Amino acid sequence: AYQVGVASDEAWWPAVMRSWRSEGACRAMHPEKGRLGFALQRLSPFSAGAAAQEWEHLKALWDKSWGRRPKDTRPALVGAYRIQNKGLLTGFAAARQAMLAKLSPDNFADGCGREGELSVELLWHGTKQAGALVDICGEGFDRACAATCAYGKGCYFAANADFADQYACAVHVPGEGDVDG
């Protein structure tokens, strides 16, 4: 079993992440690289229990993120994988704490804290290289590996799935056939 060890039930985590199990997840395996440093959970319309609720939440986010694009022209969300990486989640929580410290009242001339201004949002990312997905899941986003950069070398994220989809590659979802990104 893979122990995530990050308290994702705190209110500042996005709602979909608060339902994640923190223990008992299965470590991902790669046919060439062997055991990987993160856990995967397959989500689909056929998920049961807590995973079914997570699927419904994710599906609602997906549907909402396509904006004004007509429903009959939107790609269908047929499956997803939840990736849980203990190191990346722990690092994210620590970076958030460091940001909160910089927003405390003693850092502002008016003596007013800005901690309430910090929020965590779920964003979409598309990558042109399916092989890069394992690296992103294991090590996080690396600006040095960025290839398609409209505004300089960096990692880009979008509030809307339709924008991120322009940068996504075609992938094979086991049991679902090829899905064009």
Side-chain angles (χ1 to χ4, degrees), residues 5-79:
V6 177
S8 59
D9 58 346
E10 295 178 42
W12 62 267
W13 289 99
V16 70
M17 294 175 71
R18 280 185 246 137
S19 67
W20 288 5
R21 294 179 301 162
S22 63
E23 53 188 50
C26 295
R27 186 179 294 258
M29 296 291 290
H30 189 277
E32 297 167 6
K33 298 180 181 182
R35 294 179 69 144
L36 300 172
F38 56 89
L40 290 175
Q41 170 69 47
R42 172 105 162 89
L43 303 170
S44 78
F46 311 106
S47 295
Q53 292 174 340
E54 186 175 350
W55 170 258
E56 290 303 320
H57 190 93
L58 183 62
K59 178 84 167 75
L61 288 172
W62 174 265
D63 290 341
K64 181 181 173 186
S65 76
W66 287 92
R68 297 182 184 142
R69 188 168 169 179
K71 284 187 177 187
D72 60 340
T73 66
R74 299 175 188 172
L77 182 62
V78 297

Side-chain angles (χ1 to χ4, degrees), residues 119-159:
S119 66
V120 176
E121 303 292 332
L122 294 175
L123 300 172
W124 302 96
H125 176 77
T127 184
K128 293 281 186 200
Q129 302 164 347
L133 294 173
V134 171
D135 294 333
I136 291 170
C137 295
E139 304 299 324
F141 292 95
D142 184 349
R143 291 185 307 263
C145 296
T148 306
C149 304
Y151 303 103
K153 205 145 184 91
C155 301
Y156 295 87
F157 303 90

